[in-house]
Amino acid sequence: MTLIRATDVVVRLGGAAILHGIDVELAGGEVVGLIGANGAGKTTLLRALAGLLPAAQGAIALGGRPLALLPRRELAQTVAYLPQGGASHWPVSVETLAMLGRLPHLGPWRGPCERDRRAVEAALAACDVAQFRKRTLDTLSGGERARVLIARALASEPRVLLADEPVAGLDPGHQLDVMATLRRLAATGAGIVVVVHDLTLAARFCDRLVLLDAGRVAAAGPPRAVLSRENLARCYGIRAQVAEFDGVPWVGPATRITALESDARP
C-alpha cells in the first residue's frame, strides 16, 4: 500500500526553485533512503513530504489524500518528522522528552495513559536510552542525545517516519543499531524515508534509494542499481570502489574527480 506519493513536485525557497519535478513514493513496510551530495535537496524534500514546506507545483498525497488538506492533528498522528541536529534548549528529562512524542495522541486536558507509557518504554528500549530516563538532555553526549530524539519520534508510533540523518554523530555500533531499529519499524508496516550519507549503510538497510542531484532525481531503484560508479562519479564527483560484503554493496570513495577531468568527460 502506498503511504506517500509525490508527483511532479516543485519547491521554491526565497524565489529560487530547490526541487524540480520530483516523483517519489513510499509504501508501507519499506525503507527508502534519500542520498546525494550536500545541497542536493534531500532535507527540502523530506520537509515537503512532512507538510512543512508547500509545493509550488505538483502534488503530495498521504494515503491517497492531499497532504495540504489533512487536519494537522491527523497528520501529526500519522507522520513523525525527525530533523537533523534536533536539540532541546531546556533541561528536560529523557523520559519527559520521549513522552512529547505522544502529544498528538492525547486528548485535551488528558495525561498519558498506560498505552502512552508502554509506547515510550518501547521507544527508549529500542534506542538503547532507557538507562538515561531520569537524566536531563544537557547531561548526555551528542550521540546519546541523538538517540533520545529518535526515541521521541518512535514513541509516536507513526505510520510514516521521515528521518533526516538520524545516525549523524553516532559511533558505528549505534549507527547499525539505529538503522536496524528503522528496519524493525518498517517490518510492522510503517514506511520510512531516511536521509543517509553513509552509502554502505544505505545499501545495507534500505529497500530502495533515491539519488538527488541539484534538486532532481538522478536515479532511483534498488541500491545495487543506484550505487553504480557512473552515478557516484556524476552526482558526487568521486571515483568509488563498489564491492560486496555480507551480501550487500560496500561503497568506498577513492579519489575526487577534478574539474579538469569532469570537463573532459563526454
Side-chain angles (χ1 to χ4, degrees):
M1 174 187 175
T2 299
L3 295 177
I4 288 185
R5 175 176 283 118
T7 306
D8 194 29
V9 167
V10 174
V11 173
R12 293 189 174 91
L13 296 175
I18 306 299
L19 299 179
H20 310 266
I22 296 290
D23 293 317
V24 68
E25 64 179 55
L26 171 70
E30 72 172 349
V31 179
V32 172
L34 289 185
I35 62 173
N38 293 340
K42 303 181 295 298
T43 294
T44 299
L45 176 55
L46 211 65
R47 295 186 67 204
L49 294 176
L52 300 175
L53 288 176
Q57 176 185 309
I60 300 175
L62 177 65
R65 301 162 63 193
L67 192 68
L69 300 182
L70 287 177
R72 304 309 291 181
R73 179 178 173 83
E74 181 180 349
L75 182 60
Q77 290 175 339
T78 306
V79 178
Y81 171 64
L82 180 64
Q84 59 177 284
S88 174
H89 300 288
W90 66 96
V92 62
S93 74
V94 165
E95 190 172 41
T96 299
L97 186 71
M99 186 60 76
L100 292 178
R102 299 299 301 169
L103 285 179
H105 300 276
L106 301 182
W109 309 106
R110 185 177 73 80
C113 66
E114 184 58 30
R115 177 181 174 180
D116 299 316
R117 285 186 281 271
R118 285 198 305 266
V120 167
E121 286 301 316
L124 294 176
C127 296
D128 190 24
V129 291
Q131 67 273 28
F132 304 139
R133 67 175 70 250
K134 298 304 181 183
R135 289 176 57 180
T136 57
L137 216 61
D138 58 320
T139 68
L140 303 180
S141 71
E144 290 164 347
R145 284 197 299 270
R147 284 152 46 205
V148 171
L149 293 170
I150 295 167
R152 181 181 63 181
L154 295 183
S156 70
E157 298 179 309
R159 289 181 60 209
V160 174
L161 175 61
L162 308 173
D164 197 352
E165 299 189 44
V167 299
L170 299 185
D171 63 73
H174 280 106
Q175 288 183 358
L176 292 172
D177 291 344
V178 166
M179 295 301 291
T181 297
L182 298 185
R183 273 255 58 104
R184 288 193 296 271
L185 180 60
T188 69
I192 316 293
V193 181
V194 55
V195 174
V196 189
H197 277 297
D198 187 315
L199 300 180
T200 299
L201 279 180
R204 179 169 182 174
F205 290 98
C206 297
D207 299 293
R208 293 187 293 114
L209 299 178
V210 176
L211 173 58
L212 296 182
D213 183 39
R216 293 179 170 83
V217 175
R224 282 183 177 83
V226 173
L227 296 174
S228 67
R229 290 183 177 87
E230 294 76 16
N231 285 340
L232 298 177
R234 178 164 51 97
C235 298
Y236 285 94
I238 59 171
R239 289 190 188 85
Q241 297 294 328
V242 182
E244 190 165 297
F245 176 76
D246 204 18
V248 295
W250 177 90
V251 182
T255 59
R256 206 46 151 128
I257 294 174
T258 67
L260 185 61
E261 290 172 310
S262 181
D263 291 342
R265 292 161 62 194

